[in-house]
Amino acid sequence: MATFAPELITQIGPLPITNTFLHTIVTDVVLISIALLATKNLKMIPSGFQNMMESVIEALYSLVESIASSKKALEKIFPYAMTFFLFIFIANITSLLPGMGTFGFFKEHNEFVPLLRGATSDINVTLALAIISVIATHMLSIQVTGIRDYLSRYFSLNPINLYVGLLELISEFTKVISLSFRLFGNIYAGEIALSTISKLLAFVAPLPFLLLESLVSIVQALVFSVLTLVFMSVLTTPHHHSEAGEVIHE
């Protein structure tokens, strides 16, 4: 059964090389290969693999366009949303392929260590993704709305607005926790379920769970990227515009 922490494969100086780190490298290689293959022979009328990738990109672009506060925000938000979706989806779906968790070696006490383990089943990976998401959101907010409008969202001479701003600052830390633990919890739980079922009934029984985890892989990638998209859209909307919108709504 999979352990909570990733297993150590080797160590290069102070850098530990774990099986989830190796899978992260594999995911990056797959993403780069897809990008090169999709753009190798570009055609005005796409077909085959180019057509499939353009359909995926166009679908997410339309989603970002419907939520983004402005054209400027759209151009800056879309690359982040698309990158998060593709990385998380590829990491999730490749962790379900045959051979994942079965090839490895035994160490002391006859403990089996798989060479590859799903990257998103490691809290370190999901936490890093969440931190990148939140930091990028604030960077885009400053770029799109300006430093003055950005600071006015959190700090004000009005005591009520200052209190609300401090609550918003606290919520930024909860975003990191919710984004990272939601993704980690779903993928890790699926890994445990598949491992348990495979040990009980190795052939037919795991198939429904594999199909379910394939769906979870898509959903969790979409949830992470859409939440990031919404957070970025909110913070790239000028603060005085959002306040005016709230007043009109009320």
Side-chain angles (χ1 to χ4, degrees):
M1 184 174 290
T3 59
F4 187 79
E7 292 87 356
L8 183 68
I9 301 299
T10 186
Q11 187 151 345
I12 303 175
L15 178 65
I17 305 298
T18 63
N19 46 14
T20 54
F21 175 79
L22 292 180
H23 186 242
T24 303
I25 300 300
V26 171
T27 302
D28 292 336
V29 170
V30 171
L31 280 172
I32 293 171
S33 301
I34 290 174
L36 292 175
L37 185 61
T39 58
K40 185 177 181 181
N41 294 310
L42 292 177
K43 300 176 182 178
M44 289 297 295
I45 302 177
S47 61
F49 190 69
Q50 180 189 343
N51 187 44
M52 183 182 72
M53 291 307 301
E54 286 191 11
S55 298
V56 173
I57 293 172
E58 185 179 354
L60 194 58
Y61 186 86
S62 298
L63 178 63
V64 176
E65 190 176 28
S66 66
I67 298 176
S69 57
S70 65
K71 184 69 175 178
K72 182 179 179 182
L74 169 65
E75 294 173 353
K76 292 183 178 295
I77 292 173
F78 176 72
Y80 285 99
M82 193 72 220
T83 301
F84 279 127
F85 175 78
L86 289 177
F87 177 84
I88 295 172
F89 173 69
I90 295 298
N92 290 347
I93 206 71
T94 54
S95 67
L96 301 176
L97 294 177
M100 285 291 297
T102 57
F103 295 101
F105 58 92
F106 288 93
K107 60 180 183 179
E108 62 270 12
H109 309 298
N110 205 32
E111 181 183 355
F112 179 73
V113 177
L115 285 175
L116 293 174
R117 175 179 165 184
T120 48
S121 68
D122 183 357
I123 186 62
N124 297 295
V125 175
T126 59
L127 184 60
L129 290 171
I131 291 173
I132 292 171
S133 171
V134 171
I135 291 177
T137 299
H138 287 270
M139 289 175 59
L140 289 183
S141 178
I142 295 173
Q143 291 178 10
V144 174
T145 65
I147 186 67
R148 183 175 179 180
D149 189 271
Y150 171 79
L151 292 176
S152 69
R153 185 181 298 272
Y154 303 106
F155 305 104
S156 173
L157 295 177
N158 185 314
I160 296 178
N161 290 340
L162 178 61
Y163 177 71
V164 172
L166 292 176
L167 289 179
E168 287 197 28
L169 275 177
I170 295 172
S171 73
E172 296 305 310
F173 292 98
T174 62
K175 286 178 185 178
V176 174
I177 297 173
S178 65
L179 284 172
S180 59
F181 277 86
R182 180 187 295 106
L183 178 58
F184 163 72
N186 280 279
I187 301 305
Y188 181 72
E191 186 180 86
I192 295 296
L194 283 174
S195 176
T196 303
I197 295 298
S198 297
K199 287 181 179 179
L200 295 175
L201 298 167
F203 296 103
V204 179
L207 291 179
F209 290 89
L210 281 171
L211 293 174
L212 177 61
E213 286 305 309
S214 298
L215 179 61
V216 170
S217 298
I218 300 174
V219 170
Q220 289 305 312
L222 191 60
V223 166
F224 192 101
S225 57
V226 168
L227 285 176
T228 297
L229 160 62
V230 171
F231 295 151
M232 287 182 171
S233 180
V234 169
L235 284 187
T236 52
T237 302
H239 188 44
H240 61 279
H241 285 179
S242 59
E243 286 181 341
E246 290 174 2
V247 171
I248 293 172
H249 179 71
E250 292 174 357

